[in-house]
Amino acid sequence: MHVGIIGGGMTGLGAADELSRNGIRCTVFEKDSALGGLAGSFQIDGVYLEKFYHHLFTSDTAAKEMIERVGLADDLQWLPTSNCYYLNRIYRLSTPLDLLRFTAVGFMDRIRLGALALRVRTVKDWRPLEQITARDWLIQMAGEGVYRGVWEPLLRGKFGRYADEVAAVWIWNKLKLRGGSRGSKQEERLGYVRGGFGRAIDLWEKQLRERGVAFHLNSEVSRVQAENGSVTGLVADGQFLAFDSVLMTAAPEILLQLAPDLPSEYRQQLAKIKYLANTCLVMRLDRSLSDAYWLNVGDPSIPFTGVIEHTNMQRPEDYGGAHIAYLSRYLDTDDPYYQMNAEPLLDAYCPYLERMFRGFSRDWVKQVWRWRERYTQPLIGLNYSRIKPPFETPLNHLWLCCMAQVYPEDRGTNYAIVYGRKVAGEMLRMSG
Ligand SMILES: Cc1cc2nc3c(=O)[nH]c(=O)nc-3n(C[C@H](O)[C@H](O)[C@H](O)COP(=O)(O)OP(=O)(O)OC[C@H]3O[C@@H](n4cnc5c(N)ncnc54)[C@H](O)[C@@H]3O)c2cc1C
């Protein structure tokens, strides 16, 4: 059997790993010049840095295992990080004590916020959370004051006009993940490969090549070809290539463009899945913005929703003494911020940075990059399991495994690997 895999992100690599381990021949097609997809990197003075901020949670066992298998176990660090919230000033929200000092909301609401973190851990069955919105669930669990003061700005920041559609399952997962990545002193610990996740992806690629996996980089698949309801291959760079099976790992909307032979009922199901885009401004600064690693922005007038100061997790010395910070915004592609290049985006963000960080001036920023992607966060609405597509598609030998199927968990590199392996397992089972 020869499998054509569309997409060289973590899902595509996870599937190629599992298939090739079981003696199946695979060819991966990636439209970019390098592997990694959303977890891909660029280089700063020869050091890898993710285009979009990345870290691991302690529960991300598949990602840890991959890093160990490629020989970087000693470089995987679990570092204490600070989780903060901005509303007129920076509040630290890493420990229960921080919570008590969180004067952005009243005292009783602080208690309710703390109780929410504990109650989240007791929820074992996610199914009822499919039927209630995040908004209604948070109000039920922690009250209107906590919702309006803390969660509403965050949900609006991340999901914009779709915020009220988000199901409770999504926020429950987020709270569970972050709460679960804490050490014995309740401080959060996050994982990072010293020198960047790009190192692990390079070594993984090397291992996969040695196992016979072929990679076609800069190679965009423009068509999945089918005859009599069965896939025969795909077209990449204007050339037809025959495959016994094709696995699509990019967004369902792209599959709709590539595979016109899919039946209309299935097409309508896929068309219901919405994704948000993301634009990330990466700044190389000559000094630190604050001591926060993760800073959620709860002020709705600020046009970015997260400030992630990477060098408050990693050492600035690893980047020649520079301080690295990401400004993240999830948005629709018709949003004017999505259209902006690096310098205009920095110009637009500067007045807010001046407001947030005492003394900030544009000359602190020595270099700036802007990365953006169209398909970055599936919108998890009510009863999502009813529209979540299975791995098998109605066309024989065409498979779909992508971020939008990572559910009830939330998407991430770990689950991309887990699901990539899972779909490979099903493909192996079906091939007998
Ligand atoms: C801002 C941001 C921050 C994040 N932070 C974290 C984090 O801290 N920790 C974490 O674990 N996860 C994080 N994630 C999520 C994580 O990056 C993703 O869940 C994961 O990388 C998804 O992998 P994937 O392979 O499913 O999809 P993708 O990475 O989207 O891979 C799909 C690939 O398909 C390729 N492709 C698309 N169309 C074609 C075509 N026609 N032909 C050929 N190739 C094609 C794309 O170029 C891409 O490489 C973050 C994501 C974002 C956006």
Side-chain angles (χ1 to χ4, degrees):
M1 180 160 81
H2 189 185
V3 178
I5 299 177
I6 306 173
M10 303 306 268
T11 304
L13 295 177
D17 194 336
E18 189 68 19
L19 288 168
S20 59
R21 218 174 269 283
N22 284 279
I24 304 291
R25 200 174 147 210
C26 305
T27 301
V28 177
F29 294 84
E30 171 50 57
K31 71 178 168 63
D32 285 347
S33 55
L35 299 173
L38 292 174
S41 304
F42 66 112
Q43 294 203 351
I44 293 192
D45 299 340
V47 181
Y48 278 126
L49 182 71
E50 294 67 39
K51 296 174 183 172
F52 303 93
Y53 47 91
H54 270 76
H55 53 241
L56 294 179
F57 295 106
T58 48
S59 53
D60 287 342
T61 46
K64 269 194 270 185
E65 194 185 297
M66 178 277 282
I67 291 163
E68 283 161 14
R69 277 193 189 162
V70 300
L72 292 180
D74 292 344
D75 289 322
L76 177 58
Q77 308 165 305
W78 293 97
L79 302 158
T81 51
S82 53
N83 194 355
C84 300
Y85 189 85
Y86 180 85
L87 191 65
N88 300 321
R89 53 165 271 219
I90 296 174
Y91 295 91
R92 220 182 136 88
L93 277 183
S94 293
T95 65
L97 195 62
D98 295 333
L99 207 59
L100 287 177
R101 296 189 188 124
F102 182 49
T103 50
V105 294
F107 182 73
M108 282 316 290
D109 281 340
R110 280 175 246 164
I111 303 288
R112 289 188 192 106
L113 190 57
L116 172 68
L118 298 175
R119 285 177 74 187
V120 159
R121 294 186 210 173
T122 64
V123 176
K124 298 284 176 250
D125 182 9
W126 55 273
R127 281 171 204 280
L129 301 185
E130 278 212 309
Q131 291 150 28
I132 178 167
T133 61
R135 180 195 57 200
D136 291 348
W137 183 69
L138 288 166
I139 293 175
Q140 240 176 50
M141 295 284 278
E144 188 92 25
V146 170
Y147 176 70
R148 300 267 171 244
V150 182
W151 296 110
E152 186 177 27
L154 295 182
L155 282 169
R156 292 232 172 278
K158 178 134 187 175
F159 292 101
R161 61 194 164 106
Y162 307 108
D164 290 342
E165 293 176 34
V166 176
V169 183
W170 185 83
I171 194 83
W172 165 71
N173 249 308
K174 278 277 176 224
L175 288 166
K176 195 164 61 99
L177 254 187
R178 284 214 101 114
S181 212
R182 288 180 188 280
S184 53
K185 291 184 191 145
Q186 281 299 304
E187 85 291 6
E188 184 174 58
R189 281 191 180 262
L190 298 176
Y192 193 77
V193 173
R194 174 175 288 158
F197 286 112
R199 290 180 62 212
I201 293 172
D202 279 356
L203 290 166
W204 201 10
E205 176 183 356
K206 189 165 169 276
Q207 272 190 356
L208 292 174
R209 282 187 191 274
E210 282 164 6
R211 220 186 284 145
V213 176
F215 289 94
H216 292 207
L217 299 179
N218 295 308
S219 182
E220 182 162 1
V221 173
S222 57
R223 175 95 196 222
V224 172
Q225 207 78 41
E227 258 171 46
N228 305 323
S230 282
V231 157
T232 53
L234 51 78
V235 177
D237 310 316
Q239 207 190 344
F240 172 77
L241 296 158
F243 286 101
D244 301 304
S245 287
V246 169
L247 168 62
M248 172 65 166
T249 70
E253 207 170 89
I254 304 178
L255 182 63
L256 291 178
Q257 293 155 22
L258 301 190
D261 300 309
L262 286 166
S264 66
E265 204 179 315
Y266 180 73
R267 298 180 74 80
Q268 281 163 20
Q269 185 191 351
L270 290 197
K272 287 184 188 153
I273 298 171
K274 293 185 208 134
Y275 273 67
L276 285 154
N278 182 281
T279 188
C280 240
L281 190 75
V282 188
M283 299 184 294
R284 175 190 196 148
L285 300 138
D286 66 1
R287 67 199 83 181
S288 173
L289 291 172
S290 77
D291 61 4
Y293 164 65
W294 187 275
L295 181 59
N296 276 318
V297 179
D299 177 341
S301 70
I302 296 176
F304 42 86
T305 48
V307 181
I308 295 90
E309 194 165 338
H310 179 74
T311 39
N312 283 338
M313 172 177 59
Q314 291 294 291
R315 301 173 322 155
E317 295 77 49
D318 294 350
Y319 306 90
H323 297 259
I324 310 287
Y326 294 85
L327 303 179
S328 168
R329 179 183 170 97
Y330 285 91
L331 67 189
D332 279 323
T333 47
D334 57 4
D335 188 308
Y337 285 103
Y338 190 72
Q339 308 306 330
M340 289 184 189
N341 289 326
E343 292 289 337
L345 198 55
L346 177 61
D347 288 340
Y349 285 172
C350 267
Y352 302 97
L353 294 170
E354 282 162 14
R355 202 204 297 170
M356 292 175 74
F357 304 105
R358 189 174 312 155
F360 174 85
S361 124
R362 204 184 193 285
D363 353 312
W364 292 13
V365 184
K366 298 302 170 198
Q367 223 175 339
V368 71
W369 299 263
R370 188 275 277 130
W371 302 102
R372 63 174 190 182
E373 279 297 337
R374 163 68 191 91
Y375 299 101
T376 62
Q377 171 68 60
L379 180 66
I380 305 298
L382 290 179
N383 298 308
Y384 187 77
S385 56
R386 291 191 199 151
I387 62 164
K388 185 187 97 160
F391 290 147
E392 268 186 277
T393 76
L395 288 181
N396 290 327
H397 312 299
L398 174 63
W399 299 79
L400 172 67
C401 179
C402 66
M403 258 188 287
Q405 286 151 301
V406 177
Y407 183 81
E409 307 90 358
D410 186 32
R411 59 98 168 106
T413 50
N414 181 68
Y415 286 112
I417 299 173
V418 170
Y419 277 64
R421 283 190 191 155
K422 258 194 209 180
V423 73
E426 281 202 31
M427 292 169 84
L428 287 164
R429 197 170 48 78
M430 289 295 279
S431 72

